[in-house]
Amino acid sequence: YASYSTSFLPQPGTDANGDPFKPTEAKQYEVGVKYQPPGVNASVTLAAFDITQKNTLTTDPNDEIYQVQVGEIRSRGLELEAVASVLDGLDVVGSFTYQDVEITQSNDGDQGNRPSGTPKYLAALWADYTQPTGPLQGLGAGAGVRYVGSSYGDNAHEARENDAYTLVDAAVHYEWNSLRLGINATNLFDKDYIITQDGYTYRGEGRTVMASLRYRW
C-alpha cells in the first residue's frame, strides 16, 4: 500500500509584531506491505515513512526574546508490527520502530541534530490470554513490556541525555455477555526514571491503575 496525508497543529503564542503564530503543517508519505501466512492466524506489516513538519518555532534573528516560524523537522523511519493468535484464546502483538528525526532548518545552531526527547528506537510486546470455554470462560489476563530508547534532553545536545528504559504493563479482564470489566496497570513495578526535555527535567509517570466497566447493546 501507499499513502499520502497532510496535517496541521495549532501553535500558541505570538511573534515580535504581536501576530499569532500559524499552525505547524506536516506532509507524510508512507509505503508498506502486509503479509499473512497461509493457514495461520497471524500477519506481519512493514512500513516506511517520511514526514516533514514546517512552521516550527526558532529564534528570531532580529530579537532573541522572540521566535519566528521558519523551522523545519524531518522524520524518516521504519515500523514493523506482528500480530498472531498463537493458541486458542492467546493473542500476541509485537512492534518495533526506528525513526531518524532531524532538525533541518533552524536559527538556533542545532540544525542537523535530533530534537529533544525523541528516541531512535521504540519497541513493545504484549500477550493476552482469555479463557475460551469452561466455568472461567471470558476471564483473561495480559502482560507486556514497552522499550523507549535513549534521547537528548535539549535540541542543542548539551543537557543530560535520557537513558533508555523499559516498562512493564499488565491487565486483568472479564467479559460476560455484553458486559466487560477490566483493570489495567501501566508501569506495573513503579519503575523510577527521569526525563529531560527542552531543558526541563521531570520524573516519568509512575504506576497507574485504572478500572473500567463497559456494556454493549
Side-chain angles (χ1 to χ4, degrees):
Y1 71 89
S3 69
Y4 168 76
S5 62
T6 61
S7 62
F8 71 92
L9 182 66
Q11 182 70 56
T14 60
D15 60 18
N17 299 319
D19 297 325
F21 290 128
K22 299 180 295 183
T24 60
E25 298 179 351
K27 295 181 179 180
Q28 176 174 338
Y29 300 88
E30 182 172 320
V31 294
V33 59
K34 183 175 182 179
Y35 174 68
Q36 183 172 355
V40 179
N41 191 6
S43 64
V44 178
T45 303
L46 177 64
F49 59 87
D50 187 318
I51 306 170
T52 301
Q53 184 182 27
K54 297 183 177 181
N55 296 339
T56 60
L57 298 179
T58 184
T59 301
D60 188 337
N62 299 316
D63 193 334
E64 293 185 354
I65 68 172
Y66 292 101
Q67 293 178 303
V68 291
Q69 290 186 279
V70 297
E72 181 182 272
I73 299 175
R74 188 191 65 206
S75 176
R76 294 174 174 173
L78 297 171
E79 291 181 336
L80 176 66
E81 182 181 65
V83 180
S85 293
V86 182
L87 300 171
D88 189 16
L90 178 61
D91 298 320
V92 178
V93 179
S95 64
F96 172 79
T97 300
Y98 165 77
Q99 52 184 9
D100 180 16
V101 186
E102 180 182 342
I103 300 172
T104 50
Q105 293 183 23
S106 175
N107 294 334
D108 300 322
D110 52 14
Q111 188 167 321
N113 290 355
R114 185 167 16 126
S116 170
T118 306
K120 268 193 174 183
Y121 304 102
L122 298 166
L125 180 65
W126 177 266
D128 188 277
Y129 177 76
T130 301
Q131 180 64 32
T133 60
L136 298 179
Q137 181 178 355
L139 179 63
V145 294
R146 289 178 287 133
Y147 171 81
V148 178
S150 61
S151 62
Y152 292 101
D154 64 352
N155 290 348
H157 295 182
E158 296 175 350
R160 66 175 296 276
E161 186 173 345
N162 299 309
D163 295 329
Y165 58 90
T166 301
L167 303 178
V168 177
D169 305 324
V172 178
H173 50 83
Y174 178 69
E175 190 163 356
W176 179 72
N177 292 336
S178 300
L179 190 67
R180 178 184 173 92
L181 172 65
I183 300 177
N184 294 75
T186 57
N187 192 5
L188 179 65
F189 299 117
D190 202 25
K191 181 180 177 64
D192 190 18
Y193 59 103
I194 303 297
I195 297 176
T196 299
Q197 186 168 2
D198 298 327
Y200 297 94
T201 300
Y202 55 94
R203 291 186 179 277
E205 186 175 2
R207 181 192 299 116
T208 302
V209 180
M210 296 184 63
S212 62
L213 181 64
R214 185 181 69 195
Y215 180 78
R216 290 183 175 180
W217 65 89

